[in-house]
């Protein structure tokens, strides 16, 4: 889950708007936009995903 740094809305990474392609960053943009306010958030770090997997809290 990603918590929006602007409005605090929590959403799964899949629900976020990815690859905006308009921010001018080189390569593919990895930012994930909040579906509610469109604030750009950093994607969930892989490390955290692994930790979640270990504890089996998701899915
Ligand atoms: Zn937001």
């Amino acid at each position: 889950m990603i918590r929006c740094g602007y409005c605090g809305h929590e959403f799964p990474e899949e629900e976020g708007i990815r690859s905006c392609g308009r921010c001018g960053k080189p390569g593919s943009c990895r930012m994930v936009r909040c579906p509610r306010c469109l604030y750009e958030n950093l994607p969930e770090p892989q490390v955290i995903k692994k930790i979640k997997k270990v504890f089996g809290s998701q899915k």
Side-chain angles (χ1 to χ4, degrees):
M1 295 290 278
I2 291 171
R3 178 188 279 264
C4 174
Y6 185 76
C7 71
H9 178 55
E10 285 192 355
F11 57 97
E13 197 171 321
E14 300 78 37
E15 257 182 45
I17 302 158
R18 294 217 232 177
S19 314
C20 65
R22 289 187 207 164
C23 59
K25 290 191 186 79
S28 55
C29 175
R30 293 179 62 238
M31 302 296 273
V32 181
R33 281 181 187 274
C34 168
R36 185 186 277 178
C37 71
L38 303 184
Y39 175 84
E40 276 191 334
N41 294 277
L42 285 169
E44 194 172 27
Q46 292 295 321
V47 182
I48 291 180
K49 277 186 187 171
K50 279 180 190 166
I51 292 171
K52 278 183 184 169
K53 221 175 194 179
V54 169
F55 286 97
S57 57
Q58 302 268 325
K59 204 172 182 181

